[in-house]
Amino acid sequence: MSKRSYDSGAHEKRISKYRVNDDDLFEYVLRVAILSYVIQPKVSNHHANASELKEKEHHSKFSGAISNSIVSIGDIFKDLRDGSKSVKFPEKLLKVLEQRLQNIAMGKDAAYADQLTRRTMAVFYGQLMGDPFRRQMKENRSIEELILMFASQATSVLRKEPTLADDGWKVEVNNQIAQFVRMLRDCLKTLSHVSPELNSRLDMYHAKLAPPQSSNDSGYDSASASRDQGDSISTQPSISQSISDMPFVMIVARLFKIPENAMQSEVDRMRKTCTEKAAVIDLKTCLKNINAGAPFPGRREDFSSDTAWNHWRTQETSILSQLMVAMMSLNPELAKSMPSDNGSIYSASGARPGSLPSTRIDSPGGTKRHTSIGSRHSFFGVADEGEENDGDEGDGDEEIRVGHNFTFIPPNPKKFYRRLVEYCLVTDLEFMFSPEVDDADEVPLSILSPPHVELINECAMRWRINHTYRATCFLDQIKQLYERSDVPMECIPEALQGITKLLQDLEIDKWPIHDSELLASIYGGLYNIFLSSLYHAMDALPNLKASVVQPYLTILDQVRESGLIERFEADISTRLSDLTTRIQDVSVQYYQEKMRSLQASPGVNRALPLLLMTDELEKAAKQLDKRFPDPLVGVVDLVSLVVEAQVPLFISELQNSSKRLYESSMNGPTPDVPIQDIFSLYRRTQALLSMYKAFTPKGQLEFDLGQFFMPYVHQWLVDTDNKTGQWVQAAIAADKFEAENTEGHSASIVDLFDSLRSPISFLQDLEWSDDYQEARFFTSLSKTISKAIEQYCRSVEELFMTEMFPRPADYLQPQKSSAWLEKAKSLATTGEKKVEPFNFRPESCVKLNNVEAARKLLDNLYNQMQVDKVADTIANHGPPVPDKNERPRFLFAVKIVMAEDLVPLDSSPSSLLDTFVTLSDEAGNRLVKTRTIYESLNPRWEETHDISVDKPLWLMCSIRDRALVGQHDVVGRSFICLNPKEFGDFLTHDVWLNLENTNHGHQGRILLRISMEGEKDDVQFYFGRAFRFLKRSEGDMMRIFIDKMSPYIRQSLSRPILKTLIKAGSLGLDYNRALGNVTALYRSALGSNASEVQIPLPHNEKSRVRPEELTDVEIERAIVPLFDYFDANLHILNTYLSETAKDMVMMRVWKEILVIIEGLLIPPLSKLSSDMKPLSDKEVDIVFKWLKFLRDYFHAEGEGVPLEMLQNQKYRDVVSIRLYYDWHTDTLMEECVRAMQQSLREAVPVKKRVKSVYNQRNLGTIKERKKVKKEEKEVSNGETIMRILRMRPNTQEFIAQQLEMMTTVQAERERAQADKQQRRSQRPRHAEIPEVPPLPSTAS
């Protein structure tokens, strides 16, 4: 009967043109459906009563045969254990089984309500929950192992049951094992992807274990048998002929759209043909074909290796044998109807054929319909290797012929199977798109409905379609439907999942050649399809989302990792190349469109579009790198391709905009492009280049980032240099010069260095790629820092000088009616000029603290900039220095030391001068101005100034007398030339200049100490220069402090005070007060506790004074005003100066005291005669007692200056004066000659080079130089003796000779040293070392 008359036209349009005839397909599918019903019959209701009598008769035949019905579990599994490995059950089975056993144990499952069954199941449930058992089951997943474990537990429980007498427990064990197998079968029904062979094997086990359910000869029934008594009587039931009782037939009818009456006719027609015997014959024919090498179901030529062939043959013969055993177990009459000797199945051990296997198979009992051998739940049920059971047909079997002589297997099974799958898919798709299915309903991704899955699996099992072809065929069908857009893409991974599971259990090498080649072809097609999808998805770059392409990538990766597409390597390479090109083209297109959009925006800032584009590129690259960390399909690095395409375009755009950018950034004080945007662009470009290098290590991008942005850095350095003056002025203007912390400095120095630190951090944050260029930038910036430090020092010094030398109109010195002021006035002799003590202001102390703090802050800048590393980079990595046409510059350090024998401008012999020095160039520009030294004809300035020259420079040195009103009078002037050639030895030269005045002639002379060094564009040089500025400012300010204190100290320790003390005798001094001053005044100056208890002298105790001699109290009484002056001023200094500055001031004051004490005793060294008279012994004693009192005052019993610092070399030189003071003149001359000769014999060190800027470049080098200076050898006593001799008559000529001799020797040593230096400089740098001459021979 043709089914075409029942087909719809719409259905025909969707079926492939390469198809099997649908009539033939219908024929063979219907045969399989009928067979499925025949081998598991269902008794119709209207025959139930008629067959009851036959069932009782059949039941009686088995009475008394219980012992023979107990099947050995070992016998059931014997053949399986001897064969291949067992079928593995799904991992999820254990979880389902656990829940089922728990329900049984708790009495929730009515089908297993028997107490014995519940007890056994509960015991097994406890074992199942144990970790060792679950671990063992998860490892092997053997269904036989699971059944054996249950059998072991059931045996252990039931054999102890007292209600089961004799062998009754064996029957119950057999029955419960059968129930357990049936329960396993039911559990598998709830799972997907279950192997049909596993279901078939469980059906076979259940058939073997099912008891005959009859009475027992021993006089009792087992509990299980009694429970199922009503439906356990075995009989040959009558079979229903209605298709409504045939599930698969109804499925076929709906599939092919056949009416029920027509389908009933077809079934009636085929009923006699579709028998169990014919099915067994088909199976036996397959076995015979395998052994005979026939094309179907398979032969050696279909496999690539003997291993694959043997594996398939073993598995296939095992499955065929199991299917026959299962059928004969369900219907033992089949064995009798087959040929007695030749229609049997060989056992695995090679025994002769028999009608049945050696294990006895009981006939099935009951009328319940059993499930099909094939899986009804999973289309991709993957079987493990079946147990080896080579069931062969005897060679003498003439009824079963080799060839394709089958009842149920179509002529070309694979084509029929393919057509069936296609037919089912199309039918289910039509149903899914029909109005009967709501859009919210869930549909399976496999498309196939469960009935169709069962039908396909049943046909595949009967037609002997390999699992490899099943999965491959389904994948091919889904692929074709996807190409026609009939199914969504999610169906592809579902189909691939079947392939993946199959490959996990069966390597591709063991597949049939045709199936593996078909899978490779399908994979190749899928790869091309999804590469194309990936190609078109790239249009969304750079905003491509991973979720869009991840499904494509998952499929592509799975296909690629299979290794089956190597044969299409050439085509795939071409497609991948197209994909790469597409990615780059889309990236370029996106860049161009984005750049046009940004440039079209209004605005004059030409850097802004570039900045925004860098943001876009960097953001896109990071986003793609995050979304796609791994290359697409293993080879296409998406981020690298995008970066490789876009970054060169940006660099090209940047280069094209170079001129416009530079012009826009330089067009006025407020340029169109701010310099900050330029440097932001630099950082962004640097980040893009780093990103380009990271993502495309082999990419070539010729672009010198440093060279491109270098002009902007130079301009920024110029702007920064111009701003430093504003920084200094702003910092000083906002400063009130009040101490902000314990260090005593104010805000201006912190603000200034914060401003200086900012450009250093800015340059470092640029992370310039070229180390040499960066070092040059820091060198230029160090010059700016040095300039700022110099300006700050000058500005602070000007403020300091204004405070220290106030004009009468600006500042009035505060007057204090203190005791020391009254005493100072009383001590001043009539007619002499009074010295007004000077009170220091806190602001002056803070300014000195600022300079001292600046040295530490500058040292921090030195470390932050890593100056030594910068200098090393320039020295070792810089390009060769080109020949320069410009003249080199030289830095002269001119120290204005002192002047001698200045002549007052008026005629009064007692007139003194308030002098300062200026140095002016040839054009009259003043280059240097010193501080003013008041009331002295032999002033000492001790100030050093730097003058930079590039050619010889004439200087006019002028000494002027300061006037409060009007112009300052010129005392005298002279000229000197700073010629680099004359000072090329780089040594220090003392130059005496004779001063002339047009009106008065000779006006004395001045000493200049001059040295020179080459001025270099070097970072260490500039830092050294800055440190020198700070050091000189600190020294000048500290000298002003001393100069303001020195007049009063000099007046208090003067010869008039000394003579007054001797003449006046006792002055009625308060003894208690004087004694307290000696030991406690310095402690008070340091701010000691004023509440300390003082012990007063009793009233009745008076000082004991001897009129003929001065006591220590009387001697100390003469300088008490000086102590009071120290108390007042040192307290201010102690309060407002930092610890370091305070210590330095104290030592400077002490040094000044030593100089003044020395001046009391002896005149200065000179070849001219001196009118100074020597002191008497009493006067000398008083002077040295003053020195002792002052030493004790400054030491303050250990709380003040340490003794080792007070008793320094200068102190020892002053003390040594007393030794020679009263010697005879001749003795002094002899000692002087001896001392001078000894000093000449010794290695008198020649003049060292001037204090180089490089030796003062940071605090470390400054401290090192001080340490070396302390280690220098002490001077001889010859100079002290000559100064004493100046006060003796007739010694002028002797002193002049000694001084001339010293000058001559020193000059000779300097010339020798200069010659040595010149020879060393002319020596070749790489002079060859002469060879060592040979040793003289012994004969000579």
Side-chain angles (χ1 to χ4, degrees):
M1 176 182 178
S2 173
K3 74 104 192 154
R4 291 178 184 270
S5 58
Y6 307 103
D7 257 342
S8 66
H11 188 81
E12 284 296 321
K13 293 179 182 178
R14 304 191 60 171
I15 300 213
S16 172
K17 60 182 179 179
Y18 302 103
R19 62 182 182 271
V20 176
N21 184 280
D22 287 349
D23 289 338
D24 296 338
L25 177 64
F26 171 76
E27 179 80 16
Y28 280 98
V29 172
L30 184 56
R31 290 183 183 184
V32 173
I34 294 172
L35 176 62
S36 175
Y37 176 73
V38 169
I39 62 175
Q40 294 184 356
K42 181 178 180 182
V43 180
S44 60
N45 293 331
H46 62 276
H47 292 146
N49 295 329
S51 61
E52 184 177 351
L53 180 60
K54 293 182 179 180
E55 288 178 356
K56 292 182 179 180
E57 293 176 355
H58 180 72
H59 172 76
S60 62
K61 293 180 180 180
F62 291 94
S63 178
I66 290 180
S67 60
N68 293 328
S69 67
I70 298 175
V71 181
S72 170
I73 297 297
D75 292 340
I76 293 176
F77 296 154
K78 179 177 183 299
D79 294 338
L80 298 174
R81 288 198 306 271
D82 295 340
S84 59
K85 67 179 183 180
S86 63
V87 180
K88 290 185 178 181
F89 57 79
E91 293 183 3
K92 295 182 179 179
L93 176 62
L94 290 177
K95 187 173 182 181
V96 176
L97 181 61
E98 173 188 333
Q99 185 62 40
R100 190 71 179 273
L101 289 172
Q102 182 180 2
N103 292 338
I104 293 174
M106 297 175 66
K108 296 181 180 180
D109 195 332
Y112 299 90
D114 182 71
Q115 291 299 322
L116 286 178
T117 303
R118 286 179 56 193
R119 186 187 310 167
T120 307
M121 295 294 182
V123 172
F124 183 69
Y125 173 74
Q127 183 182 18
L128 179 66
M129 295 303 294
D131 290 337
F133 179 79
R134 295 179 70 87
R135 198 161 42 245
Q136 177 184 355
M137 286 295 101
K138 285 183 178 180
E139 289 177 358
N140 55 44
R141 289 164 48 202
S142 170
I143 198 69
E144 288 80 13
E145 189 78 18
L146 188 62
I147 296 173
L148 286 174
M149 294 297 290
F150 176 79
S152 175
Q153 290 295 325
T155 302
S156 176
V157 172
L158 295 176
R159 72 187 305 170
K160 300 177 182 178
E161 177 59 38
T163 60
L164 299 177
D166 299 331
D167 290 338
W169 67 270
K170 296 182 180 179
V171 178
E172 186 63 25
V173 167
N174 198 74
N175 186 42
Q176 289 196 12
I177 294 174
Q179 292 185 67
F180 181 73
V181 173
R182 187 179 66 198
M183 184 175 63
L184 290 176
R185 187 68 175 83
D186 293 341
C187 291
L188 289 174
K189 290 180 181 180
T190 63
L191 302 176
S192 59
H193 308 303
V194 180
S195 166
E197 279 68 22
L198 178 60
N199 288 323
S200 176
R201 186 172 295 184
L202 288 175
D203 288 340
M204 182 185 68
Y205 295 159
H206 184 267
K208 289 183 179 181
L209 293 167
Q213 308 298 340
S214 62
S215 301
N216 197 328
D217 288 343
S218 58
Y220 65 90
D221 295 333
S222 70
S224 299
S226 300
R227 181 183 65 234
D228 299 331
Q229 185 71 27
D231 55 358
S232 61
I233 300 175
S234 177
T235 183
Q236 182 63 36
S238 60
I239 298 179
S240 172
Q241 301 298 324
S242 173
I243 63 171
S244 60
D245 295 328
M246 303 177 184
F248 276 116
V249 173
M250 295 302 294
I251 294 173
V252 173
R254 288 190 293 270
L255 175 64
F256 288 92
K257 300 180 181 178
I258 307 295
E260 288 192 13
N261 56 352
M263 182 58 76
Q264 186 67 55
S265 301
E266 289 293 328
V267 172
D268 294 339
R269 178 178 64 82
M270 296 182 184
R271 186 67 182 85
K272 295 182 180 179
T273 306
C274 302
T275 63
E276 294 172 280
K277 180 178 180 181
V280 173
I281 291 174
D282 280 1
L283 297 175
K284 297 181 66 133
T285 302
C286 289
L287 282 171
K288 194 162 187 178
N289 285 351
I290 291 173
N291 291 315
F296 181 83
R299 54 183 172 178
R300 173 63 183 84
E301 290 81 354
D302 296 335
F303 297 89
S304 59
S305 64
D306 291 337
T307 302
W309 158 247
N310 292 331
H311 176 272
W312 176 84
R313 183 178 61 179
T314 300
Q315 186 182 46
E316 183 68 12
T317 54
S318 175
I319 293 173
L320 290 171
S321 299
Q322 291 176 34
L323 289 173
M324 287 189 290
V325 169
M327 292 182 66
M328 293 180 183
S329 299
L330 295 173
N331 188 2
E333 297 297 330
L334 287 176
K336 298 178 181 179
S337 64
M338 299 301 293
S340 59
D341 293 329
N342 301 325
S344 63
I345 305 169
Y346 286 150
S347 66
S349 60
R352 69 175 183 82
S355 60
L356 283 173
S358 59
T359 301
R360 176 176 177 178
I361 305 297
D362 297 303
S363 60
T367 59
K368 291 193 289 187
R369 179 184 182 276
H370 294 273
T371 57
S372 169
I373 300 300
S375 171
R376 305 295 171 87
H377 301 278
S378 172
F379 178 63
F380 296 114
V382 181
D384 287 308
E385 298 179 13
E387 286 74 5
E388 185 176 357
N389 189 355
D390 296 332
D392 300 334
E393 290 299 314
D395 295 336
D397 188 358
E398 296 178 357
E399 293 185 13
I400 300 177
R401 302 187 304 275
V402 174
H404 205 89
N405 306 306
F406 302 104
T407 302
F408 297 97
I409 302 177
N412 192 330
K414 289 186 176 181
K415 284 189 176 182
F416 273 76
Y417 178 81
R418 182 184 183 86
R419 181 70 185 95
L420 175 61
V421 173
E422 181 182 10
Y423 207 103
C424 291
L425 285 170
V426 172
T427 301
D428 288 336
L429 278 175
E430 287 181 348
F431 177 74
M432 288 181 184
F433 291 109
S434 66
E436 300 178 21
V437 179
D438 189 77
D439 293 340
D441 294 342
E442 294 186 2
V443 295
L445 292 177
S446 62
I447 307 300
L448 294 172
S449 61
H452 289 168
V453 171
E454 293 187 5
L455 178 63
I456 292 172
N457 283 336
E458 193 72 23
C459 291
M461 183 188 66
R462 293 300 168 187
W463 294 348
R464 301 315 306 146
I465 303 299
N466 290 330
H467 287 283
T468 56
Y469 185 77
R470 297 186 200 181
T472 305
C473 175
F474 181 73
L475 176 62
D476 192 22
Q477 292 294 324
I478 293 296
K479 169 181 155 298
Q480 293 179 16
L481 291 174
Y482 174 72
E483 288 182 284
R484 298 198 299 265
S485 300
D486 288 340
V487 297
M489 194 197 65
E490 290 79 6
C491 294
I492 300 294
E494 181 73 14
L496 284 171
Q497 188 178 3
I499 300 293
T500 302
K501 291 186 177 181
L502 190 60
L503 289 172
Q504 291 175 355
D505 293 313
L506 186 64
E507 299 85 354
I508 192 68
D509 295 339
K510 295 182 180 180
W511 283 33
I513 296 174
H514 175 269
D515 295 349
S516 62
E517 290 181 349
L518 176 60
L519 180 62
S521 176
I522 296 171
Y523 271 11
L526 284 174
Y527 206 79
N528 279 332
I529 291 172
F530 288 102
L531 267 184
S532 178
S533 301
L534 195 61
Y535 177 92
H536 293 292
M538 294 301 111
D539 293 343
L541 284 174
N543 299 317
L544 181 64
K545 295 183 179 180
S547 59
V548 175
V549 298
Q550 191 57 48
Y552 307 149
L553 297 176
T554 302
I555 296 172
L556 289 170
D557 290 342
Q558 183 175 348
V559 171
R560 177 175 52 86
E561 292 169 0
S562 68
L564 296 175
I565 58 173
E566 294 178 355
R567 67 183 71 180
F568 310 108
E569 190 64 36
D571 182 54
I572 291 175
S573 298
T574 303
R575 298 298 298 273
L576 290 176
S577 177
D578 294 342
L579 177 62
T580 300
T581 304
R582 181 61 179 170
I583 292 172
Q584 292 181 326
D585 291 344
V586 172
S587 301
V588 171
Q589 182 180 358
Y590 171 81
Y591 174 87
Q592 293 172 345
E593 293 177 356
K594 190 67 177 178
M595 180 57 76
R596 282 195 296 268
S597 173
L598 293 174
Q599 290 177 342
S601 301
V604 295
N605 191 341
R606 297 182 180 275
L608 189 58
L610 296 172
L611 280 171
L612 295 176
M613 178 53 73
T614 58
D615 291 340
E616 290 290 334
L617 297 182
E618 187 174 359
K619 176 183 175 182
K622 291 181 177 179
Q623 181 175 273
L624 289 175
D625 187 46
K626 182 178 180 180
R627 292 177 178 177
F628 304 97
D630 300 320
L632 305 183
V633 296
V635 292
V636 179
D637 194 337
L638 183 61
V639 189
S640 297
L641 292 173
V642 172
V643 171
E644 187 178 11
Q646 292 181 345
V647 172
L649 292 176
F650 174 79
I651 296 300
S652 177
E653 184 72 28
L654 184 63
Q655 290 174 322
N656 294 335
S657 306
S658 174
K659 183 178 180 181
R660 297 192 300 272
L661 274 178
Y662 189 78
E663 292 174 351
S664 300
S665 64
M666 302 296 171
N667 57 353
T670 56
D672 294 338
V673 180
I675 195 69
Q676 292 83 359
D677 289 353
I678 293 294
F679 288 117
S680 297
L681 184 60
Y682 165 81
R683 295 188 184 92
R684 295 289 188 179
T685 306
Q686 186 182 46
L688 285 183
L689 292 177
S690 301
M691 187 172 66
Y692 181 86
K693 184 177 180 180
F695 286 118
T696 58
K698 297 182 180 179
Q700 298 294 330
L701 186 58
E702 299 296 334
F703 178 68
D704 192 339
L705 179 67
Q707 196 66 31
F708 184 88
F709 285 95
M710 186 186 297
Y712 301 101
V713 180
H714 286 311
Q715 184 61 38
W716 173 80
L717 289 170
V718 172
D719 295 341
T720 303
D721 185 73
N722 295 334
K723 292 177 183 176
T724 51
Q726 302 174 10
W727 295 346
V728 174
Q729 294 174 4
I732 293 178
D735 195 2
K736 297 180 180 179
F737 292 99
E738 296 176 354
E740 292 192 338
N741 51 31
T742 56
E743 295 179 1
H745 59 75
S746 61
S748 62
I749 194 64
V750 177
D751 295 342
L752 175 61
F753 274 89
D754 285 343
S755 301
L756 296 176
R757 192 179 299 109
S758 177
I760 297 177
S761 301
F762 177 81
L763 275 182
Q764 290 174 336
D765 292 341
L766 287 179
E767 297 180 357
W768 204 261
S769 56
D770 190 311
D771 292 340
Y772 176 76
Q773 291 177 359
E774 185 182 44
R776 296 304 309 171
F777 296 155
F778 280 120
T779 300
S780 179
L781 186 58
S782 65
K783 184 177 181 181
T784 299
I785 294 173
S786 176
K787 175 183 173 182
I789 296 298
E790 180 182 7
Q791 182 179 351
Y792 182 82
C793 290
R794 289 177 178 173
S795 300
V796 170
E797 279 191 83
E798 289 178 2
L799 296 175
F800 182 80
M801 295 297 289
T802 302
E803 294 169 357
M804 300 301 285
F805 300 97
R807 293 180 180 273
D810 297 338
Y811 180 80
L812 295 177
Q813 179 74 25
Q815 302 296 321
K816 296 183 179 180
S817 57
S818 57
W820 60 268
L821 184 58
E822 297 297 331
K823 293 173 183 176
K825 292 179 179 179
S826 64
L827 287 175
T829 58
T830 305
E832 293 183 354
K833 185 177 181 181
K834 293 189 298 181
V835 176
E836 293 291 340
F838 184 83
N839 278 341
F840 295 106
R841 300 176 61 179
E843 295 87 344
S844 303
C845 298
V846 171
K847 291 180 176 64
L848 179 59
N849 293 339
N850 284 358
V851 175
E852 191 244 331
R855 298 178 68 187
K856 297 179 181 179
L857 294 173
L858 184 62
D859 192 64
N860 294 338
L861 289 188
Y862 186 97
N863 296 327
Q864 179 186 355
M865 193 182 288
Q866 298 180 338
V867 172
D868 294 335
K869 181 180 179 182
V870 170
D872 181 70
T873 300
I874 293 178
N876 299 329
H877 301 87
V881 180
D883 295 333
K884 294 184 179 179
N885 296 325
E886 58 188 36
R887 287 176 294 190
R889 298 193 65 85
F890 299 92
L891 183 67
F892 280 88
V894 180
K895 184 174 184 179
I896 303 173
V897 183
M898 57 180 254
E900 284 185 350
D901 304 328
L902 298 181
V903 178
L905 297 180
D906 52 18
S907 57
S908 174
S910 61
S911 297
L912 298 175
L913 297 174
D914 300 333
T915 54
F916 64 91
V917 180
T918 61
L919 297 179
S920 305
D921 62 8
E922 299 153 344
N925 299 317
R926 189 172 69 186
L927 304 180
V928 172
K929 178 185 176 182
T930 68
R931 73 187 190 283
T932 302
I933 302 298
Y934 292 90
E935 299 179 356
S936 176
L937 299 178
N938 298 289
R940 296 185 69 90
W941 292 277
E942 297 285 351
E943 290 187 17
T944 305
H945 300 271
D946 290 339
I947 301 176
S948 177
V949 302
D950 59 354
K951 61 180 180 180
L953 176 66
W954 279 97
L955 296 178
M956 180 177 67
C957 177
S958 302
I959 298 181
R960 297 175 183 268
D961 183 25
R962 176 176 289 276
L964 295 178
V965 180
Q967 291 186 341
H968 309 300
D969 297 327
V970 177
V971 178
R973 58 170 56 116
S974 184
F975 297 89
I976 185 173
C977 181
L978 299 182
N979 190 348
K981 292 183 179 180
E982 295 181 5
F983 296 89
D985 54 3
F986 299 102
L987 299 175
T988 302
H989 298 259
D990 287 346
V991 180
W992 285 95
L993 299 178
N994 293 322
L995 301 173
E996 301 290 339
N997 189 308
T998 55
N999 298 326
H1000 301 83
H1002 178 71
Q1003 292 291 314
R1005 62 177 183 168
I1006 185 172
L1007 174 62
L1008 301 181
R1009 189 163 292 151
I1010 303 174
S1011 61
M1012 183 195 74
E1013 62 180 310
E1015 182 172 327
K1016 298 180 181 179
D1017 187 22
D1018 180 75
V1019 62
Q1020 291 179 334
F1021 177 86
Y1022 291 128
F1023 266 90
R1025 196 169 180 178
F1027 272 107
R1028 178 182 286 184
F1029 287 139
L1030 292 173
K1031 180 61 178 175
R1032 288 176 181 172
S1033 294
E1034 183 184 61
D1036 292 345
M1037 295 169 73
M1038 202 166 295
R1039 192 177 297 113
I1040 296 298
F1041 273 109
I1042 304 305
D1043 289 347
K1044 300 303 283 186
M1045 300 174 69
S1046 179
Y1048 194 80
I1049 298 174
R1050 194 177 298 276
Q1051 177 178 280
S1052 301
L1053 301 177
S1054 62
R1055 288 198 173 199
I1057 297 295
L1058 188 62
K1059 294 183 182 299
T1060 302
L1061 176 63
I1062 294 176
K1063 291 179 181 180
S1066 174
L1067 300 179
L1069 177 67
D1070 186 348
Y1071 179 82
N1072 185 43
R1073 172 177 172 79
L1075 184 62
N1077 282 337
V1078 173
T1079 59
L1081 283 176
Y1082 183 78
R1083 188 183 310 168
S1084 174
L1086 293 178
S1088 60
N1089 190 357
S1091 63
E1092 292 181 1
V1093 179
Q1094 302 292 334
I1095 303 175
L1097 202 64
H1099 296 290
N1100 56 359
E1101 183 177 340
K1102 297 183 179 179
S1103 57
R1104 289 168 291 178
V1105 180
R1106 291 190 301 173
E1108 65 275 8
E1109 291 185 8
L1110 292 173
T1111 64
D1112 289 348
V1113 175
E1114 294 171 338
I1115 295 173
E1116 193 262 351
R1117 169 71 179 81
I1119 58 173
V1120 163
L1122 179 60
F1123 289 134
D1124 290 342
Y1125 176 73
F1126 282 157
D1127 286 345
N1129 284 277
L1130 293 184
H1131 178 71
I1132 294 175
L1133 299 180
N1134 174 71
T1135 303
Y1136 296 102
L1137 284 180
S1138 66
E1139 290 295 328
T1140 304
K1142 181 176 62 179
D1143 293 342
M1144 294 175 64
V1145 168
M1146 294 303 300
M1147 288 307 300
R1148 290 291 186 94
V1149 173
W1150 176 245
K1151 182 179 178 181
E1152 185 69 14
I1153 291 173
L1154 293 176
V1155 171
I1156 292 173
I1157 294 292
E1158 186 181 44
L1160 276 175
L1161 297 171
I1162 56 178
L1165 181 62
S1166 174
K1167 62 182 179 181
L1168 302 177
S1169 61
S1170 174
D1171 56 358
M1172 183 176 178
K1173 302 300 181 182
L1175 298 176
S1176 64
D1177 292 342
K1178 183 180 291 187
E1179 291 173 333
V1180 171
D1181 290 341
I1182 292 173
V1183 169
F1184 279 102
K1185 284 188 177 182
W1186 283 351
L1187 179 62
K1188 178 180 179 299
F1189 294 154
L1190 289 168
R1191 184 199 65 187
D1192 293 341
Y1193 175 85
F1194 278 88
H1195 181 55
E1197 296 181 353
E1199 297 183 13
V1201 183
L1203 275 178
E1204 58 269 17
M1205 296 180 65
L1206 293 172
Q1207 297 175 352
N1208 53 17
Q1209 180 63 40
K1210 184 66 176 177
Y1211 177 85
R1212 292 193 292 271
D1213 291 341
V1214 172
V1215 172
S1216 67
I1217 296 175
R1218 188 167 191 173
L1219 175 64
Y1220 304 107
Y1221 205 78
D1222 54 355
W1223 281 18
H1224 192 272
T1225 302
D1226 295 338
T1227 307
L1228 284 175
M1229 289 183 178
E1230 292 175 1
E1231 180 63 21
C1232 180
V1233 171
R1234 187 193 64 78
M1236 294 297 294
Q1237 290 178 348
Q1238 181 179 357
S1239 63
L1240 292 176
R1241 285 196 302 268
E1242 294 177 352
V1244 178
V1246 300
K1247 284 188 179 181
K1248 296 184 179 179
R1249 292 196 177 199
V1250 68
K1251 280 193 292 188
S1252 172
V1253 170
Y1254 289 95
N1255 293 334
Q1256 299 178 351
R1257 64 180 183 269
N1258 59 20
L1259 293 182
T1261 56
I1262 293 174
K1263 291 178 181 178
E1264 187 65 25
R1265 191 180 184 281
K1266 287 183 178 180
K1267 181 180 179 182
V1268 174
K1269 187 176 180 181
K1270 288 182 179 179
E1271 295 174 355
E1272 292 180 357
K1273 190 174 181 180
E1274 297 179 0
V1275 298
S1276 65
N1277 294 323
E1279 293 185 5
T1280 302
I1281 295 174
M1282 284 189 288
R1283 293 177 66 179
I1284 296 175
L1285 288 173
R1286 282 196 66 193
M1287 296 185 295
R1288 306 290 176 90
N1290 304 322
T1291 58
Q1292 183 177 358
E1293 184 177 354
F1294 173 80
I1295 295 173
Q1297 291 176 354
Q1298 296 299 317
L1299 291 176
E1300 184 177 358
M1301 184 183 302
M1302 289 174 58
T1303 304
T1304 303
V1305 172
Q1306 183 66 29
E1308 290 179 356
R1309 290 183 181 277
E1310 290 181 5
R1311 282 195 296 271
Q1313 182 70 11
D1315 293 341
K1316 184 178 179 180
Q1317 285 290 120
Q1318 185 176 6
R1319 289 194 302 270
R1320 183 178 300 174
S1321 62
Q1322 295 176 353
R1323 185 183 305 167
R1325 292 186 178 182
H1326 302 287
E1328 296 182 0
I1329 301 176
E1331 297 182 359
V1332 179
L1335 294 173
S1337 60
T1338 55
S1340 61

